[in-house]
Amino acid sequence: MFKIYKKQKSMAEICLRRCGIMVSQIIIILLLLIILLGGGYYLFTKKFTPKVETNISVITSQLTLCQELVTVKYHYSDIIAIKKSVALSKSLTLIKYSGVIRIGIPDMLDCDFEIYNEGKGLKIKLPDVEILGNDITAQEVFDENQSIFVPIKTEEVFAKIDEAKEKTLEELIDDGILNEARENAKKVIQQIMISAGFEEVIVV
């Protein structure tokens, strides 16, 4: 009976020892997994996160440099005639004027962008193009014949010029100049961002 008890005790000790070894192995495996996962996460964040952050900084700085982006400048000139008459009194003024229309994006920081493909690709959504200016750059009265009874006032001249320049702008819009300005903006921004290091740039 004594021998049998001793043998049973030895078997129990062996089982306990084996269980202890298995637990130790499991703990070691878990520790190795934790180390591997932690190392992988560290390498991933070290490799990709700074690159994305750097690219965001590059995009912002490039857009800041653009600020107001003019993509179409249209120069125009014309002659207007102002006539007034009362009974036999007549006045006539011929005015030659020149102007420039600027169309583009007023603030490039209003763009939305998305970085993809591990920082190699960039998608930018542009805001709408706008009329940035329609300014008269020169004007000259080259023929004038005024009557003291029906004088042509300065404000009448300015009003006529304003009317003429607005008509010019409306005609250009009807001809599709806003679409032209937007397409030009897409090309400009695409080239800027490719020069900044992005392999693929989509501008919409």
Side-chain angles (χ1 to χ4, degrees):
M1 290 293 293
F2 176 74
K3 289 182 179 180
I4 294 172
Y5 172 74
K6 187 175 182 180
K7 187 177 181 180
Q8 289 177 343
K9 185 177 180 182
S10 298
M11 290 291 291
E13 287 176 352
I14 291 169
C15 289
L16 287 172
R17 194 176 293 117
R18 286 180 178 176
C19 288
I21 292 170
M22 289 179 64
V23 170
S24 300
Q25 289 175 341
I26 291 171
I27 291 172
I28 291 170
I29 291 170
L30 288 174
L31 288 173
L32 287 173
L33 284 173
I34 291 170
I35 292 169
L36 287 172
L37 289 173
Y41 177 77
Y42 172 76
L43 290 174
F44 178 83
T45 53
K46 186 176 181 180
K47 183 176 180 181
F48 297 109
T49 304
K51 187 174 182 180
V52 172
E53 289 176 353
T54 300
N55 287 343
I56 290 173
S57 178
V58 168
I59 295 166
T60 304
S61 65
Q62 292 296 325
L63 294 179
T64 301
L65 287 174
C66 293
Q67 292 190 6
E68 181 183 89
L69 180 64
V70 179
T71 55
V72 167
K73 263 188 177 183
Y74 180 82
H75 295 268
Y76 60 93
S77 61
D78 203 354
I79 296 172
I80 57 174
I82 302 176
K83 299 177 182 179
K84 292 179 73 175
S85 63
V86 174
L88 297 178
S89 298
K90 297 180 180 179
S91 291
L92 171 67
T93 298
L94 295 178
I95 302 162
K96 182 179 180 180
Y97 69 93
S98 300
V100 59
I101 294 172
R102 296 178 297 109
I103 303 174
I105 298 172
D107 189 354
M108 287 301 298
L109 290 178
D110 289 338
C111 293
D112 294 324
F113 59 85
E114 175 188 351
I115 299 173
Y116 61 92
N117 192 20
E118 299 177 0
K120 298 176 183 177
L122 173 66
K123 183 177 181 180
I124 295 184
K125 185 178 186 303
L126 300 178
D128 292 335
V129 295
E130 299 178 15
I131 308 300
L132 302 177
N134 183 9
D135 306 310
I136 298 300
T137 56
Q139 63 184 48
E140 174 189 2
V141 176
F142 67 91
D143 192 6
E144 189 171 34
N145 182 13
Q146 291 214 39
S147 168
I148 59 172
F149 299 106
V150 281
I152 297 173
K153 300 177 182 178
T154 303
E155 54 265 30
E156 291 177 306
V157 173
F158 289 150
K160 196 71 175 177
I161 292 175
D162 286 341
E163 180 183 330
K165 74 177 189 179
E166 289 303 320
K167 183 180 178 182
T168 300
L169 177 58
E170 289 173 6
E171 290 173 351
L172 286 174
I173 291 174
D174 290 341
D175 289 340
I177 197 169
L178 293 178
N179 291 333
E180 179 185 342
R182 185 167 185 83
E183 290 304 312
N184 289 345
K186 289 180 181 181
K187 293 175 184 176
V188 169
I189 295 302
Q190 187 175 50
Q191 289 303 314
I192 288 173
M193 293 307 171
I194 288 175
S195 299
F198 290 96
E199 296 180 8
E200 181 180 17
V201 179
I202 300 171
V203 185
V204 296

